[in-house]
Amino acid sequence: MYTVQVDPHTHTIFSGHAFSTIGENAAAAKKAGLLAIGMSEHYGPTFTKDPLGFGPMMNMPALPRVIDGVTVLASVEIDIVDFKGHLGFWDLEHPFFVPKEGGDFNSRLLDSRDYAIASVHHFNGMEENTVAKNTEMYCRVLEDPRVHIIGHPGRAPLRFDIEEVCKTAKAHGKMLEINDHSFDSKSNVTDECRRIAECCAELGVLVSVGSDAHSAWFVGQVGRAMGMLREIGFPPELIANRTLDGFLEHIKRAR
C-alpha cells in the first residue's frame, strides 16, 4: 500500500518561517492518521541566525515523547554548506562546545537526534557547481554516519549523477527524500524527483516521503509524492517510513 505512518520532515515556529507549534503539528498528524512525526527544524547558515540557538532542539526531554497519541521524533534539517559535504557550522569554534575527537561543532546537536536530514538550500560558490562536484558532495554527505536522509535532492538547483548517488545511499543504508513540497515547483523539479525515484526503484534504494510542512495544515500531506510513486510502480517496501517500526529500524541500520 502507498501509505505512510511517519511524516519525517516537519517544521515548527522554531524554524523562523513556519507557522505552527509542535502541539499543533501533532494534532494535525493524529487527524491525518499518522503514528509519528519528525521535529526537523532548520539548522545552518541559510536559516539560523545564531549558531548557538539550538538549545530548544536539545531540550526535547521537556516534551512528552508522545503527544496526542503521536510519537515525536527528534530530528534536524541541517544545511549542506559546500561541495566537500560539510554541514551546518562545521568550522565554528567555541570554548564551551569542544567537540569529541573526530567531531565538529554540529556534533553535539547531531548526536542527540533520532535521525538527521541534510539538505542543500544555498551556500557561497554554489553557482560554480558541476555534475561531478555535486555528485561528490552528496556522496560525502551520505558517508557521514550522522546523516540518515538527503532532503529534497530533486529541488536543490544542483544536478548530479543520480545512479552514483543512489549506489552510495544503498551502500550506507541511507534514504533519499521524495519531498511533497517539491511538487509546488516547476516541472523540471518534479521531473527530477521522478528520475530519482525511478533510479531508487531500479537499484533498491530506500526513499523517505515527507511533507516538509511549514504549518500544521500540511503535516502528513504527501499525496502528490505518493501519487508519483504509484504511477511509476515504485516498490512499496522501499518506502522507509511506510511503518513507524520499519522507519526506526532503517535508521538504526544506517551507517
Side-chain angles (χ1 to χ4, degrees):
M1 292 180 61
Y2 290 92
T3 58
V4 296
Q5 292 184 349
V6 185
D7 188 344
H9 192 159
T10 71
H11 296 276
T12 74
I13 53 176
F14 179 80
S15 283
H17 58 286
F19 294 92
S20 302
T21 66
I22 187 64
E24 290 167 337
N25 281 358
K30 181 179 181 180
K31 186 176 180 180
L34 298 176
L35 299 185
I37 54 173
M39 186 175 171
S40 50
E41 309 296 3
H42 287 289
Y43 187 70
T46 306
F47 297 108
T48 308
K49 294 179 181 179
D50 179 9
L52 295 176
F54 55 70
M57 284 195 279
M58 296 289 292
N59 197 30
M60 291 291 287
L63 291 171
R65 182 66 165 177
V66 178
I67 299 176
D68 208 11
V70 175
T71 298
V72 179
L73 300 171
S75 183
V76 63
E77 184 181 12
I78 193 166
D79 285 348
I80 301 170
V81 298
D82 59 30
F83 291 118
K84 293 182 179 179
H86 289 125
L87 304 173
F89 299 99
W90 69 278
D91 57 347
L92 187 67
E93 295 183 2
H94 194 281
F96 299 123
F97 296 95
V98 179
K100 298 177 183 177
E101 185 176 353
D104 58 26
F105 184 81
N106 304 305
S107 294
R108 184 167 181 178
L109 174 61
L110 290 172
D111 290 347
S112 72
R113 303 295 86 187
D114 291 313
Y115 64 93
I117 302 169
S119 305
V120 169
H121 293 101
H122 176 78
F123 57 79
N124 291 333
M126 193 168 73
E127 64 280 357
E128 299 172 9
N129 75 89
T130 65
V131 169
K133 283 183 180 180
N134 304 341
T135 301
E136 182 180 8
M137 173 195 72
Y138 276 128
C139 288
R140 286 189 175 187
V141 174
L142 286 164
E143 290 165 357
D144 188 330
R146 303 171 302 175
V147 173
H148 303 82
I149 301 169
I150 296 294
H152 49 70
R155 190 163 84 235
L158 302 177
R159 300 286 69 84
F160 55 92
D161 185 326
I162 295 174
E163 183 175 346
E164 190 63 30
V165 170
C166 281
K167 287 179 178 177
T168 303
K170 185 173 182 178
H172 293 274
K174 304 296 178 72
M175 309 166 218
L176 301 184
E177 184 185 46
I178 304 300
N179 182 296
D180 199 80
H181 183 41
S182 296
F183 289 78
D184 290 325
S185 304
K186 295 179 180 179
S187 61
N188 64 309
V189 171
T190 57
D191 289 346
E192 186 75 354
C193 292
R194 180 182 290 264
R195 285 190 285 269
I196 292 169
E198 288 172 339
C199 190
C200 287
E202 181 179 349
L203 298 179
V205 178
L206 294 167
V207 300
S208 171
V209 182
S211 68
D212 199 358
H214 284 65
S215 75
W217 286 271
F218 291 96
V219 170
Q221 302 305 307
V222 294
R224 294 171 296 181
M226 297 297 274
M228 181 270 288
L229 294 178
R230 188 181 296 108
E231 284 177 13
I232 67 172
F234 190 87
E237 63 272 16
L238 291 178
I239 301 174
N241 54 316
R242 185 170 59 149
T243 68
L244 174 55
D245 289 343
F247 183 65
L248 296 176
E249 186 61 30
H250 289 310
I251 289 170
K252 188 186 302 183
R253 291 178 181 176
R255 55 198 182 279

